[in-house]
Amino acid sequence: MSHFRLARLCLLLAAVGLNTAPALMTGAHAQKAAAPAAAPANTVRPELFKLLDSNAIQQLIAAKNSAELQSRIAQADAIANKTPYENYVLNRIKMAHASLTGNDQGILSAAEEVVKSGFEPRDAQAKLVLAMANIQYNAKNYTAAAEQLKRYESMGGDMSAARSLQVRAQYLNKDYAGAKTQLLQVVNDAEKAGKAPSQEDLKLLISAAHESKDSAAYETAVQKMVNYYPSDEYWKELIRVGVVRKPGFSQDNYMPVLRLEFAATKVMREEDYVDLAETAMRDGFPTEAKNAMDAGFAAGVLGKGANAKAHNALRGRADKGAADDARNIAAGEASASKSKNGAGLVNLGWAYSTMGQHDKGIGFIEQGIAKGNLKQPDEAKLRLGAAQAKAGRKDDAIKTFETVKAGGGLSDVARVWTMMLKQPATGGAPATASAMTATPAPGK
């Protein structure tokens, strides 16, 4: 995470004038200029002025003459009874010397004294504290970096540039809960500003939420990652945490999960292609099984390795079943229409949709839902929504999915479908060109 460093220290120090000495007045000059005999507090004595004169110091800094700077600092240190202001001036020059020689500890020590002196302007103090935080972070002193960043914020520092450093310091210091809270704010601020949160911030939020065992924040972070930076990895993770791992999920509803993953991702695991195909064959949807097997072979996942023979056998059965179904499906329309419940019509419609005849399939599924007496009416709605999505009727699909209220994971499947369909065209649902386009029936 070192690439989250702020600007180079020399630039930060220059921003608050710390690579130069302040313009000085000797006590003698001040006495001549002032009516009272007493010198102002913010002056230096002539013996120190000879060593710390700002014009001479600036020339030494410009020439990178660190040896002469060190000599003057040592001589100034030897002068007794320095006033607070004289120490302040000396510490600024010590800091310039430390910056010139790459002595981070020297910068930290001198900077702390400059800040504590009270002579530095308030805004410059804050910038200096931010520079100190940056030094501690780069030195992997994450506790100290986090403390300095809290100090910077309390001084009214602009956290827009420092927030990333703060959350990373907290995270690397294993303050996962603190990092998570800050990152949620970072993400929220970006969204309020109409911007996409950075992918790095979202990855860190996912990790911080996981480490702090905040399942709600974890799911939220994965949802946002899917929304802004969709990938198979995060779609699968969202389905895992947002559906399968949710309390009350029923394994009886795993087929809708597989259909969702097939639509949401470009490539599934070997076992998922096989499960989808085998379950589809069992349920009487050989064309859906063929679509799954064809996609798995095209992705290079199936047809090789120890299970290649089994994959080819399953694909052969699916191909034969799909061909038979394409020849005979119309013959089942009459019996499905005469059935006392709508299950036959729903299944008929889904079969047509898997063949690529989406509009025809949607009509039959809608008739089946209207007829009623379904064992799982919300599962039928999921198939209707999926068919509408495949047909390009996105708004209708979203409306259908929003009516799914059943538990056991069905409403969660519908929610993820809705998220996928609401994604911008440039982002997200990657499977619209493959998984959501079914193989048309032969001759259609």
Side-chain angles (χ1 to χ4, degrees), residues 23 174 295 368:
K174 298 186 178 181

Side-chain angles (χ1 to χ4, degrees), residues 99-375:
S99 177
L100 192 62
T101 57
N103 180 359
D104 285 350
Q105 286 304 313
I107 295 174
L108 289 172
S109 177
E112 185 61 40
E113 294 302 318
V114 168
V115 172
K116 289 194 313 187
S117 73
F119 292 108
E120 195 70 19
R122 182 74 174 176
D123 62 332
Q125 288 183 39
K127 290 177 182 177
L128 188 51
V129 168
L130 181 58
M132 294 163 68
N134 192 48
I135 291 172
Q136 297 286 18
Y137 180 86
N138 292 338
K140 300 183 180 181
N141 298 325
Y142 302 120
T143 300
E147 289 172 354
Q148 293 289 9
L149 286 160
K150 287 180 182 177
R151 183 183 183 189
Y152 173 71
E153 187 171 19
S154 72
M155 296 171 75
D158 179 8
M159 293 302 293
S160 60
R163 189 76 67 184
S164 289
L165 190 66
Q166 183 180 42
V167 297
R168 283 155 181 78
Q170 289 176 307
Y171 182 89
L172 292 168
N173 196 40
K174 298 186 178 181
D175 179 9
Y176 301 120
K180 175 200 67 182
T181 300
Q182 292 285 350
L183 283 160
L184 285 169
Q185 186 62 51
V186 169
V187 170
N188 185 56
D189 289 346
E191 290 178 326
K192 281 185 177 179
K195 299 177 182 178
S198 76
Q199 188 171 14
E200 188 65 27
D201 281 339
L202 288 174
K203 285 182 178 180
L204 198 58
L205 176 56
I206 288 172
S207 182
H210 172 73
E211 294 291 349
S212 59
K213 296 180 172 55
D214 187 336
S215 57
Y218 183 82
E219 183 178 350
T220 295
V222 174
Q223 286 177 358
K224 291 185 183 297
M225 182 66 85
V226 160
N227 188 53
Y228 293 109
Y229 306 100
S231 68
D232 282 6
E233 175 189 2
Y234 287 110
W235 274 117
K236 290 173 184 177
E237 185 64 5
L238 178 59
I239 293 168
R240 186 183 74 86
V241 301
V243 181
V244 179
R245 292 294 181 90
K246 280 290 185 73
F249 175 76
S250 171
Q251 287 294 328
D252 293 339
N253 294 326
Y254 202 72
M255 187 59 168
V257 173
L258 290 172
R259 286 171 175 153
L260 169 62
E261 185 178 335
F262 190 54
T265 62
K266 295 176 182 177
V267 180
M268 298 201 303
R269 299 178 304 170
E270 173 190 342
E271 55 266 41
D272 291 334
Y273 283 121
V274 171
D275 284 350
L276 177 55
E278 287 182 338
T279 306
M281 289 290 290
R282 182 200 68 192
D283 292 346
F285 303 113
T287 305
E288 183 175 28
K290 172 179 169 55
N291 294 340
M293 295 304 293
D294 286 349
F297 272 84
V301 175
L302 303 181
K304 60 185 182 181
N307 297 320
K309 185 176 180 180
H311 297 161
N312 284 302
L314 178 56
R315 190 183 197 184
R317 294 198 306 273
D319 286 347
K320 181 179 184 304
D324 291 343
D325 208 23
R327 286 192 296 268
N328 301 321
I329 189 170
E333 293 181 14
S335 60
S337 298
K338 293 176 183 178
S339 175
K340 293 182 179 180
N341 62 53
L345 288 166
V346 170
N347 289 337
L348 180 68
W350 182 247
Y352 271 121
S353 182
T354 64
M355 294 175 183
Q357 300 183 55
H358 305 304
D359 289 337
K360 190 170 186 177
I362 289 167
F364 280 119
I365 297 174
E366 288 176 333
Q367 290 177 44
I369 291 173
K371 179 173 278 193
N373 296 318
L374 298 171
K375 187 175 181 181

Side-chain angles (χ1 to χ4, degrees), residues 51-52 57 60-61 64-78 90 93-98 100-101 103 106:
L51 298 169
L52 308 180
I57 294 297
L60 292 172
I61 292 172
K64 298 184 179 179
N65 191 342
S66 59
E68 177 60 22
L69 271 177
Q70 179 57 49
S71 174
R72 289 180 178 235
I73 289 169
Q75 292 176 65
D77 268 335
L90 180 57
I93 295 171
K94 285 181 177 180
M95 187 162 23
H97 177 265
L100 192 62
T101 57
N103 180 359

